[in-house]
Amino acid sequence: MQHGKPQGASRVVIPVDSPPGLLEFLCQRFPRIGPGIWRKRLLQGRVLDARHQPLPVDAGCHGGQVIYYFRELEHEPQVPFREDILFENEHLVVVDKPHFLATAPVGNYVEQTVLHRLQQRLQLPELTPVHRLDRLTAGVLLLCKQPHERDTYQALFRRQQVDKVYEALAAPLPQLQFPHLRRSRIISDDVHFFRSREVAGEANSETRIEVLARYRHHWHYRLLPLSGRKHQLRVHLSALGAPIVGDDFYPQPLRRAADDFSRPLQLLARSLAFTDPLTGAEMLFASRRDLPGPDELTVQA
């Protein structure tokens, strides 16, 4: 028997006073979603029982029953960039993620995600991400093939046993000495739930910042996060006065159309290195992508 929630699915428990038919219940529970959409999801196997088995269109239901369903957006933005597989064995899939492609279903993105694409492409429905990269960040992403092995790999990140290297393009910081160590306390933003912010108090985040190249309008930085707070690199550079080029969240949130791919966030997860806890092998994966050079980047005033 399966346990837990299928990756990317939503969960609902059927109340005791619900209609006897599953389709009728779904239409009643989610009145904004028409019966045609629910019928299509059922036919496509996108509504599951507690054992993660697809339910038929004419399935009945009863109070206390657990149902999982996969959202399907009628107008999901198409992301015209492809993820590249860097490595695959019986345990892992390592990909080079492009900008604008979410790691897993979130917000307006369900099918246009690394996870959904690879589950379909590799026929691996139980594939799960070991960690996440922001939708706007490109670079190396680790996914696990076996659900029971996922926590073993995630423990490497929790214990800070993964060497992570990022690169970014941001404004010059000539007033600082490099390498520079930024330590601060980062918490979730109370006003904008999707952002983080620095506050006074004991540091819970740490980033080593190095300079790889100095250009007229921006510098090319090498970033080594020694912790893993949400948006840590973006928050740290912005707080220093050098928000990353193309950042829609920091220092202030900006609106961008879902299909606007014109100004990618210039942040790249360059490499991951660790000792595989299952095989003992030394693993090193590096992105094949590059941030634009000084003559390629359009700098907005």
Side-chain angles (χ1 to χ4, degrees):
M1 179 177 176
Q2 298 279 357
H3 296 280
K5 185 175 73 171
Q7 183 70 32
S10 297
R11 178 180 183 271
V12 63
V13 179
I14 297 177
V16 293
D17 57 349
S18 295
L22 178 60
L23 181 58
E24 185 182 359
F25 160 73
L26 291 170
C27 293
Q28 182 185 88
R29 176 68 175 80
F30 305 98
R32 294 186 179 182
I33 302 176
I37 295 176
W38 280 118
R39 182 179 295 275
K40 178 181 176 182
R41 291 183 185 180
L42 285 160
L43 290 171
Q44 292 178 336
R46 299 177 68 84
V47 182
L48 315 177
D49 63 16
R51 297 176 299 169
H52 303 183
Q53 298 302 308
L55 289 162
V57 175
D58 60 353
C61 63
H62 57 82
Q65 183 177 357
V66 175
I67 298 295
Y68 298 104
Y69 66 93
F70 293 89
R71 295 183 301 126
E72 181 179 358
L73 301 174
E74 291 299 293
H75 303 290
E76 181 172 355
Q78 296 296 305
V79 180
F81 310 109
R82 181 181 173 88
E83 70 288 348
D84 299 319
I85 296 177
L86 297 173
F87 174 84
E88 181 181 359
N89 65 7
E90 65 270 31
H91 306 291
L92 299 171
V93 178
V94 184
V95 300
D96 203 352
K97 187 183 87 66
H99 296 287
F100 300 108
L101 187 65
T103 296
V106 62
N108 292 327
Y109 301 91
V110 176
E111 295 186 356
Q112 294 297 300
T113 64
V114 173
L115 180 62
H116 184 269
R117 286 184 179 185
L118 289 179
Q119 285 176 334
Q120 301 299 310
R121 176 178 167 187
L122 302 177
Q123 294 297 295
L124 293 172
E126 295 189 323
L127 188 70
T128 55
V130 175
H131 63 117
R132 289 187 182 233
L133 291 180
D134 295 339
R135 185 179 70 87
L136 299 179
T137 303
V140 181
L141 178 68
L142 195 67
L143 299 100
C144 182
K145 287 186 174 181
Q146 307 297 332
H148 66 276
E149 296 176 352
R150 185 188 186 201
D151 188 66
T152 301
Y153 286 104
Q154 286 186 319
L156 295 174
F157 289 84
R158 292 196 300 269
R159 298 168 185 163
Q160 299 180 11
Q161 294 175 335
V162 179
D163 291 327
K164 297 173 287 185
V165 178
Y166 288 74
E167 293 178 21
L169 301 182
L173 291 169
Q175 72 276 20
L176 297 182
Q177 299 250 338
F178 291 94
H180 176 80
L181 192 63
R182 179 70 175 185
R183 302 182 72 249
S184 68
R185 183 165 191 81
I186 294 178
I187 65 171
S188 296
D189 193 320
D190 297 331
V191 178
H192 303 287
F193 71 91
F194 51 86
R195 299 196 336 147
S196 298
R197 62 188 177 95
E198 289 189 337
V199 295
E202 183 180 356
N204 62 2
S205 63
E206 188 172 347
T207 303
R208 178 184 169 94
I209 305 171
E210 302 172 355
V211 178
L212 294 177
R214 291 173 168 84
Y215 307 127
R216 179 181 175 186
H217 296 289
H218 64 272
W219 287 1
H220 189 161
Y221 294 94
R222 186 173 187 258
L223 310 171
L224 295 91
L226 305 179
S227 55
R229 311 303 298 185
K230 178 181 176 181
H231 294 172
Q232 176 178 317
L233 304 179
R234 299 164 71 176
V235 170
H236 277 172
L237 281 176
S238 181
L240 288 169
I244 298 174
V245 174
D247 200 332
D248 291 346
F249 288 3
Y250 305 95
Q252 296 296 329
L254 304 173
R255 291 186 178 274
R256 185 205 293 246
D259 58 353
D260 180 1
F261 307 115
S262 63
R263 194 165 180 258
L265 177 71
Q266 297 303 318
L267 179 61
L268 175 69
R270 171 59 69 193
S271 66
L272 288 177
F274 58 91
T275 301
D276 191 303
L278 298 181
T279 67
E282 296 299 322
M283 312 295 271
L284 171 61
F285 306 108
S287 173
R288 297 169 184 159
R289 303 177 189 275
D290 286 308
L291 298 179
D295 298 327
E296 302 170 275
L297 183 67
T298 300
V299 178
Q300 296 185 357

